[in-house]
Amino acid sequence: MSVPSLRSFASLTLPVGLLAGLLIGPAQAQQPPRLDVPYVPTPEPVVAHMLKLAEVGPDDYLIDLGSGDGRIAISAVQDHGAKAALGIDLDPERVREARGNAEREGVTDKVTFEQGDLFQKDISEADVLTMYLLSTVNMRLRPVILDTLKPGTRVVSHAFSLGDWKPDQSDVINGSSVFLWIVPAKVAGQWTLELDGKRYQVELDQRFQRVTGTVEGHPAGLRGQLKGNELHFTLDDRLYVGQLNGDRIEAVPAEGAQQGWVAYRS
Ligand SMILES: C[S@@+](CC[C@H](N)C(=O)[O-])C[C@H]1O[C@@H](n2cnc3c(N)ncnc32)[C@H](O)[C@@H]1O
């Protein structure tokens, strides 16, 4: 049986609560959980691609928001060796189903499912966050993602974007879009850059992972990009790559990149 995509539901104007009632059937529809997103599973090839794009591996704790039948959390552990995974779903029936699937696959020591509202859960420990929600839900989550997740956390969404926060990577697999964002560190503000034995005052502006800066004595300024705690920027056509550590950014070795510089918050 072919599974309808969530995008086709999202394009309808019916309220999601009503859609959820229609989807879960008349018995439960009398007391439906007030779902923000109806249940539509991600096709297995798309699950595989989401986890590949996030480069899930043995150091990763993955959280799937709105975990449905648990396929993403289970596959993260079973197929990609994640150290642990958590699925959160508001619908008790989905949580029962996901727990049954984890039991059947023999992964209950590493995969857990919690019933509850994804907006009420602490997700700050995630190394990888996955979601197949809706644009409106993603946008409500965006400040939580930017303000509570560690820099470097990978966020993967099936089908829906995060508005004007451009993905670091995106792919189309079997007709479905998959987006990857890497949570950027926060670097906006005043810095002192020590370079070639001189000190320069730098003011950095940041919009998600994109960084621009004014540098005294360098009218063209700097332009850069954050990948978690790693800042890549160009200044006077030279490439700089640095690692943010507390209030310092230190040069790291990278092909073609300048060495012997440091920046610290002024
Ligand atoms: C489109 S399905 C995605 C299921 C699974 N992540 C996947 O990709 O196969 C969305 C899921 O979110 C759940 N959900 C909806 N609103 C929620 C909320 N506020 N908190 C937690 N889960 C919610 C639904 O019950 C449903 O299982």
Side-chain angles (χ1 to χ4, degrees), residues 59-171:
D59 293 333
D60 291 327
Y61 173 51
L62 175 142
I63 298 180
D64 185 32
L65 293 179
S67 43
D69 67 0
R71 58 183 61 200
I72 294 178
I74 291 170
S75 178
V77 163
Q78 201 168 45
D79 306 323
H80 297 260
K83 72 176 174 209
L86 167 69
I88 297 166
D89 206 290
L90 191 57
D91 188 339
E93 195 175 322
R94 292 282 88 74
V95 174
R96 262 194 304 278
E97 187 184 359
R99 285 178 181 154
N101 289 338
E103 187 103 45
R104 208 187 50 237
E105 297 300 325
V107 292
T108 51
D109 55 333
K110 291 186 174 169
V111 183
T112 49
F113 293 97
E114 283 180 16
Q115 192 268 325
D117 184 353
L118 60 90
F119 290 106
Q120 304 301 323
K121 299 283 183 181
D122 177 1
I123 57 171
S124 60
E125 292 303 310
D127 301 297
V128 177
L129 187 74
T130 52
M131 21 194 227
Y132 182 26
L133 301 168
L134 291 170
S135 299
T136 48
V137 178
N138 282 6
M139 287 306 279
R140 283 170 65 198
L141 276 170
R142 195 170 87 173
V144 181
I145 290 171
L146 286 165
D147 294 339
T148 69
L149 297 186
K150 303 179 286 278
T153 304
R154 290 93 81 204
V155 178
V156 181
S157 172
H158 171 195
F160 297 97
S161 76
L162 281 167
D164 58 345
W165 179 8
K166 299 270 176 273
D168 291 276
Q169 220 179 310
S170 64
D171 277 332

